[in-house]
Amino acid sequence: GYPYQDAHRQTHAHLILQLENLTAETAQASGSYIGAMTDKIAVFLHDWLINHVVKGDVQMKPFIAKMRSHAATMGRLADTSR
């Protein structure tokens, strides 16, 4: 399996907590603070995309390929879409 699975799950849990906090903060925002929240959300999404998806999730690619290969040899669960 993926050797960093626990750390990866913790990262997802932290991202969800951050998003929940941003959602709550945005719900309370009014006036000029809404613009600041827009910027804050943009920074969060950029950070998530670059630091998590590009740098983190991409590390799983070899393990996913290995799992697909193993599934194909078993004749099931093989996903041919890429």
Side-chain angles (χ1 to χ4, degrees), residues 12-64:
H12 274 246
H14 182 69
L15 287 169
I16 290 168
L17 180 62
Q18 287 179 299
L19 187 56
E20 288 172 347
N21 289 337
L22 279 173
T23 301
E25 194 174 346
T26 301
Q28 300 298 316
S30 63
S32 63
Y33 189 61
I34 291 175
M37 284 306 303
T38 302
D39 293 342
K40 199 171 186 176
I41 291 168
V43 168
F44 169 79
L45 292 174
H46 178 267
D47 183 61
W48 174 77
L49 177 65
I50 300 302
N51 292 321
H52 180 74
V53 175
V54 173
K55 294 180 182 175
D57 286 348
V58 170
Q59 292 176 343
M60 289 190 293
K61 189 174 181 177
F63 298 95
I64 292 170

